[in-house]
Amino acid sequence: MKRMLAFHCYLFILAAGWLPPNAVHAVKIQDFTYLYQCENIRKNITMHIEYDGNRVEITYFNEFGDKDITVFKDRIHPVSAVYFNPDRERIGQTIYDYKKKKIFIQGEMDAVYDLIEPVFDNNGATFYLFSVFHPEPEKTLTFRLVQSNLSRITDGFQRLLIRKLVGPVTMQLKHLGQETITLQNEEHLTVKYEFSIRDSGTSIFWSHKYLFWYSLEKNILLKHQGMSQEKKLIIYTLIEFTEWERPNPQLPSL
């Protein structure tokens, strides 16, 4: 009876819109809209980030209408990545098992890799990661990148090469210094990074170097320059950013 009374009292408190301070903590929300430009193609793409304590969940909608959801613990350690096509069908997933030290991939081609940190999944969440885990000036960050989603890679040899012969690729992120860029008629002081394959033997298959510009004031991605599968130049620029918090009530133990 006491447990039932406590539960009903808690429901009343929720309905009244008030919770004790120790029962509520905030979830930080960030929403990004980027303009995707590739030759004469222009589209808006979005990224939604929810940060709850040490857990981060990132939902990214790319230029094809696909969606991926990536979850991290302690802000920078990937736990899982799930991929959906434009019809909202799940087409693949990746699980990072830190006890077994393994990465399990299911999807276009299944695979199991050794988990060697630091390691990230190759998807839209990298926009967030570089703002959290980036090198200082004159230093280079080295990590492994996992290609979980092969749905946009149509060449059979490339699929075999990526999944079965190469596995996670060793990448490097270099700090290139500060640069002022202009977006929507407004100047921004940024730190510029270069992202590329570290191993010279692997880089012959994809030698392009990616560039990222982060705001020094807010430490968010303002601009990204990449390359499509057809080796056409792609530029992403931030056109809208919102940041807010929402209460996250926790049920008391009854």
Side-chain angles (χ1 to χ4, degrees), residues 70-185:
T70 309
V71 176
F72 299 90
K73 67 175 183 178
D74 303 323
R75 302 191 70 189
I76 59 173
H77 300 289
V79 175
S80 63
V82 185
Y83 298 88
F84 300 87
N85 64 19
D87 296 324
R88 299 184 180 181
E89 298 169 334
R90 180 180 294 198
I91 56 177
Q93 64 179 5
T94 306
I95 302 296
Y96 293 80
D97 191 323
Y98 290 87
K99 291 183 179 180
K100 296 181 179 180
K101 296 292 183 182
K102 294 291 183 180
I103 303 171
F104 299 93
I105 298 179
Q106 296 177 329
E108 299 287 334
M109 295 174 66
D110 295 346
V112 179
Y113 305 132
D114 291 333
L115 198 165
I116 301 174
E117 298 186 78
V119 58
F120 304 137
D121 225 83
N122 186 21
N123 57 34
T126 53
F127 284 7
Y128 156 81
L129 281 170
F130 296 157
S131 68
V132 177
F133 194 32
H134 54 72
E136 298 298 323
E138 309 303 325
K139 292 185 179 180
T140 299
L141 169 67
T142 301
F143 58 92
R144 285 155 62 90
L145 194 68
V146 178
Q147 184 68 47
S148 297
N149 184 16
L150 299 180
S151 62
R152 296 292 167 180
I153 300 176
T154 57
D155 183 83
F157 175 72
Q158 287 188 10
R159 286 170 175 258
L160 179 65
L161 180 69
I162 292 170
R163 185 69 95 236
K164 301 298 183 182
L165 303 181
V166 177
V169 178
T170 302
M171 309 293 293
Q172 62 182 11
L173 187 68
K174 294 176 63 176
H175 190 296
L176 298 182
Q178 297 182 9
E179 182 175 320
T180 300
I181 64 173
T182 302
L183 293 178
Q184 302 181 49
N185 299 319

Side-chain angles (χ1 to χ4, degrees), residues 46-64:
T46 60
M47 180 170 63
H48 176 82
I49 299 177
E50 295 194 10
Y51 173 51
D52 179 5
N54 288 324
R55 183 182 184 277
V56 180
E57 181 174 304
I58 301 176
T59 304
Y60 179 75
F61 297 86
N62 65 19
E63 65 273 17
F64 304 107

